[in-house]
């Protein structure tokens, strides 16, 4: 069985500060890992994903995440937070059929001016 | 063009009513999903269809019945609505057969049962 754990349901950062959103996964097979963002009153959109190859993955809006197998982690980072980054962020893992996604419980990011 | 579109976006209805939410995707995907997001933002999968066939059916009351007339459409019908059904319902789609598929979500349907 697969699962993801997002540490911290709420994260607040100052504008211009580093954003770090944590995600740990559990998987018995090589995982495929995703970060999605949900802006208020909108659907989820893909930020970035890891399938194979380079473990540092770059996504949209300056976000990136690093797959660390030894730590079973896929933390999301952005060097400098912008007000427009305020949203809900979801980490997800899928199995090798791609038919089932397991979403984390989400982290709400607040950016303080 | 919207890749995954669902209607209506907002729906307010009384307890006991029957309602439907429609979903269409123009991405050529084989797999479609319905997710429920509660007030705490938890996302829970309800159903998954692959080429019109049900492949995932999580523990959902049988008042919820998905229908897939073709692989581009997956509608959700809800009978005898209850207060606890109030939530945001997301339709989504993905390719099948390729590992690491991305799920593409619709904009959501906000259901309020009063």
């Amino acid at each position: 069985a697969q699962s993801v754990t997002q540490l911290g349901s709420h994260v607040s950062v100052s504008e211009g500060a580093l954003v770090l959103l944590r995600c740990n996964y559990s998987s018995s097979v090589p995982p495929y890992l995703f970060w999605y963002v949900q802006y208020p009153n909108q659907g989820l959109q893909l930020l970035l994903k890891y399938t194979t190859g380079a473990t540092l993955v770059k996504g949209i809006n300056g976000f990136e995440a690093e797959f660390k197998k030894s730590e079973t982690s896929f933390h999301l980072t952005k060097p400098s937070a912008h007000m427009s980054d305020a949203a809900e962020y979801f980490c997800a893992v899928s199995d090798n059929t791609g038919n089932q996604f397991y979403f984390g419980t989400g982290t709400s990011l607040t950016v303080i001016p | 063009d919207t890749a995954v579109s669902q209607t209506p976006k907002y729906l307010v209805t009384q307890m006991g009513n029957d309602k439907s939410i429609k979903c269409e995707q123009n991405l050529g995907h084989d797999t479609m999903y319905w997710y429920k997001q509660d007030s705490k933002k938890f996302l829970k999968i309800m159903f998954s269809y692959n080429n019109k066939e049900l492949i995932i059916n999580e523990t959902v009351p049988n008042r919820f019945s998905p229908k897939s007339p073709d692989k581009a459409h997956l509608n959700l019908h809800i009978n005898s609505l209850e207060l606890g059904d109030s939530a945001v319902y997301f339709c989504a789609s993905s390719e099948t057969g390729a590992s690491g598929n991305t799920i593409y979500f619709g904009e959501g349907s906000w259901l309020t049962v009063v």
Side-chain angles (χ1 to χ4, degrees):
Chain A
Q2 298 176 312
S3 65
V4 289
T5 302
Q6 291 184 240
L7 297 175
S9 58
H10 297 275
V11 171
S12 292
V13 299
S14 296
E15 192 174 14
L18 172 71
V19 176
L20 171 60
L21 304 182
R22 299 178 186 274
C23 173
N24 287 87
Y25 69 90
S26 171
S27 176
S28 57
V29 296
Y32 303 108
L33 296 158
F34 304 77
W35 275 100
Y36 281 83
V37 61
Q38 183 181 24
Y39 298 105
N41 297 324
Q42 293 186 26
L44 282 75
Q45 59 179 280
L46 181 71
L47 267 180
L48 50 80
K49 70 177 182 182
Y50 168 79
T51 53
T52 59
T55 56
L56 181 62
V57 182
K58 294 187 185 300
I60 62 171
N61 301 337
F63 284 93
E64 61 183 36
E66 187 170 11
F67 169 60
K68 291 188 176 180
K69 184 178 179 181
S70 61
E71 298 177 7
T72 61
S73 69
F74 191 57
H75 302 329
L76 182 70
T77 60
K78 181 174 180 177
S80 176
H82 193 273
M83 295 298 294
S84 61
D85 295 327
E88 191 83 18
Y89 291 81
F90 292 92
C91 183
V93 62
S94 75
D95 61 27
N96 57 7
T97 67
N99 286 336
Q100 175 66 293
F101 268 57
Y102 301 88
F103 282 92
T105 51
T107 298
S108 177
L109 175 66
T110 299
V111 181
I112 304 166
Chain B
D1 283 347
T2 304
V4 182
S5 58
Q6 52 184 111
T7 56
K9 181 157 186 173
Y10 299 102
L11 182 57
V12 181
T13 188
Q14 291 186 327
M15 278 195 312
N17 284 351
D18 303 338
K19 291 294 177 186
S20 293
I21 307 173
K22 295 185 177 182
C23 179
E24 176 182 6
Q25 55 95 2
N26 62 7
L27 297 168
H29 291 164
D30 292 332
T31 304
M32 296 186 71
Y33 312 80
W34 277 108
Y35 281 84
K36 179 180 180 180
Q37 187 176 46
D38 65 20
S39 59
K40 294 184 178 180
K41 302 289 188 181
F42 295 159
L43 270 169
K44 179 181 176 182
I45 189 166
M46 301 172 69
F47 303 102
S48 173
Y49 270 70
N50 182 15
N51 271 321
K52 303 192 300 176
E53 290 191 19
L54 181 66
I55 56 173
I56 295 175
N57 183 358
E58 293 295 314
T59 305
V60 174
N62 57 15
R63 299 182 294 104
F64 290 80
S65 54
K67 286 186 172 52
S68 182
D70 55 62
K71 74 173 192 176
H73 296 83
L74 181 61
N75 303 323
L76 183 65
H77 188 75
I78 315 170
N79 290 327
S80 304
L81 278 155
E82 300 177 358
L83 292 177
D85 298 332
S86 295
V88 186
Y89 293 86
F90 286 102
C91 179
S93 72
S94 69
E95 294 181 26
T96 306
S99 297
N101 304 337
T102 297
I103 287 188
Y104 294 85
F105 284 83
E107 291 289 298
S109 294
W110 271 252
L111 173 65
T112 302
V113 183
V114 298

